[in-house]
Amino acid sequence: MSASSDQMTFDIADEAFAERTFEITRQLARDCRACHLWAPATQTVFGEGPAPAPVMLIGEQPGDKEDLAGRPFVGPAGLKLNAALEDAGVDRGKVYVTNAVKHFKYVPRGKIRLHQKPVAVEIKACRPWLERELDFVQPKVAVAMGATAAQSLFGKATPINKNRGRLVALGSCQALVTIHPSYLLRIQEEADAAAEYARFVADLTLLRPFLG
């Protein structure tokens, strides 16, 4: 009985240490100057969710709403993602959500801040933070949503349509490539948008077995 109690004490202490270390990582990320994107951004937008978690969702970068709120996927793309997760039977509260790049890249147009796609040097500069998140979250499956996320996760350019919708081995976990939900907001034709949304939901449905 005493051995079991000692083991439980060790496990609790180990978990508390991991949580504290992860919080230190978050704090360090707030002061990251690895590339120039920190200067015009409001703040670093780190990932959020349970850690460890069976699933990690990785997007491109924070948008305007995320930059102001300091949280990932709270804007229009986030609402679309929430709807798709619900339709796929995946509880967002059980997954860890983050971005490949932690600062909002944009160009000002009057009062509007227009999103700009991160380039390779910016993705590479931010990749150590994603690697630390992967180490702490220990997902069974990591989902790259969009080309930027796929490039960061795999360490190289990875075509979306050629690789989406199937699980592939990636180190200690599996990986899934799909579109970024913001793509759904840009489709003009209603029928095309509905078909692409259904395909996105089908991709996310592959995550259900990992959530138990």
Side-chain angles (χ1 to χ4, degrees), residues 3 6 11 45-46 49 73 78 94 112 120 135 144 162 185 202 204:
D6 290 344
D11 290 343
V45 181
F46 209 69
F73 284 97
K94 293 183 179 180
I112 299 175
D135 287 342
K162 182 179 178 180
L185 302 174
L204 296 178

Side-chain angles (χ1 to χ4, degrees), residues 63-126:
D64 182 76
K65 300 293 186 183
E66 291 78 8
D67 174 70
L68 296 174
R71 298 179 57 209
F73 284 97
V74 295
L79 295 177
K80 183 64 70 173
L81 173 62
N82 289 346
L85 288 171
E86 184 175 354
D87 287 342
V90 176
D91 183 354
R92 174 165 170 168
K94 293 183 179 180
V95 305
Y96 185 89
V97 183
T98 191
N99 283 296
V101 174
K102 310 303 186 192
H103 288 116
F104 180 32
K105 181 180 181 181
Y106 65 92
V107 289
R109 289 290 184 271
K111 295 182 178 180
I112 299 175
R113 301 189 297 174
L114 297 178
H115 161 277
Q116 275 197 317
K117 185 179 178 63
V119 297
V121 66
E122 295 157 352
I123 297 170
K124 184 178 179 180
C126 223

Side-chain angles (χ1 to χ4, degrees), residues 11 17 20 31 83 87 90 100 150 153 179 184:
D11 290 343
F17 175 77
R20 183 179 178 185
D31 297 322
D87 287 342
V90 176
L153 184 62
I179 60 167
L184 299 169

Side-chain angles (χ1 to χ4, degrees), residues 10-175:
F10 173 79
D11 290 343
I12 292 173
D14 190 55
E15 182 178 341
F17 175 77
E19 290 179 357
R20 183 179 178 185
T21 303
F22 198 24
E23 181 56 35
I24 291 173
T25 299
R26 289 176 182 272
Q27 294 173 8
L28 291 172
R30 295 187 187 114
D31 297 322
C32 182
R33 302 291 185 268
C35 76
H36 66 100
L37 293 183
W38 70 271
T42 302
Q43 58 192 314
T44 301
V45 181
F46 209 69
E48 67 176 19
V55 173
M56 176 188 282
L57 300 178
I58 308 165
E60 179 186 88
Q61 65 167 339
D64 182 76
K65 300 293 186 183
E66 291 78 8
D67 174 70
L68 296 174
R71 298 179 57 209
F73 284 97
V74 295
L79 295 177
K80 183 64 70 173
L81 173 62
N82 289 346
L85 288 171
E86 184 175 354
D87 287 342
V90 176
D91 183 354
R92 174 165 170 168
K94 293 183 179 180
V95 305
Y96 185 89
V97 183
T98 191
N99 283 296
V101 174
K102 310 303 186 192
H103 288 116
F104 180 32
K105 181 180 181 181
Y106 65 92
V107 289
R109 289 290 184 271
K111 295 182 178 180
I112 299 175
R113 301 189 297 174
L114 297 178
H115 161 277
Q116 275 197 317
K117 185 179 178 63
V119 297
V121 66
E122 295 157 352
I123 297 170
K124 184 178 179 180
C126 223
R127 194 166 190 263
W129 298 117
L130 180 63
E131 291 174 342
R132 292 188 186 187
E133 287 177 298
L134 287 165
D135 287 342
F136 282 111
V137 177
Q138 301 175 26
K140 296 178 182 177
V141 58
V143 184
M145 298 188 296
T148 297
Q151 183 172 340
S152 181
L153 184 62
F154 291 98
K156 61 181 181 179
T158 303
I160 301 302
N161 287 328
K162 182 179 178 180
N163 295 281
R164 72 177 294 187
R166 58 187 176 88
L167 295 165
V168 297
L170 181 69
S172 61
C173 70
Q174 296 191 70

